[in-house]
Amino acid sequence: MFLKSFQIAAAAALIAVPAIAQAEEAGAKFTHEGVTYVYTTQVANGERVIKGTAFNGKAPFELHVRGRYVTGTFNHQTVEFTQSQAKALGIQVASN
């Protein structure tokens, strides 16, 4: 199954999380394929919550990483995919 473009962008938001899997972080950002993602992350109740914006603050997102599943919203659209689907697109995903 192919991910829709907003799901791909949401999956890209997971790229920068390896160093932040266990701690809350303030004001982190990274750029992927010309898009800058600004986010915070928090681990609570066995899930990682990544909140932020992309496309210069125009596309808000909130992703919940539970085990191998990712759910949430990206640019007000519901997204749901597995970490395996993100990895198949070449997006590295850190575990909880």
Side-chain angles (χ1 to χ4, degrees):
M1 177 177 141
F2 292 98
L3 297 176
K4 295 181 182 178
S5 61
F6 55 86
Q7 288 176 303
I8 292 170
L14 296 175
I15 289 174
V17 270
I20 55 173
Q22 297 301 320
E24 187 172 347
E25 184 163 316
K29 71 177 183 175
F30 71 100
T31 301
H32 176 69
E33 295 187 3
V35 177
T36 299
Y37 297 82
V38 179
Y39 66 93
T40 59
T41 195
Q42 180 176 0
V43 176
N45 300 321
E47 73 176 17
R48 185 165 9 115
V49 179
I50 305 163
K51 294 181 184 180
T53 61
F55 299 98
N56 295 319
K58 296 176 184 166
F61 61 87
E62 182 172 325
L63 303 173
H64 296 259
V65 182
R66 295 177 194 97
R68 47 188 195 142
Y69 298 98
V70 181
T71 59
T73 59
F74 186 90
N75 199 23
H76 309 290
Q77 299 290 320
T78 301
V79 294
E80 184 174 323
F81 52 92
T82 66
Q83 290 190 26
S84 296
Q85 289 172 309
K87 288 178 184 176
L89 295 170
I91 297 168
Q92 296 303 312
V93 180
S95 59
N96 290 1

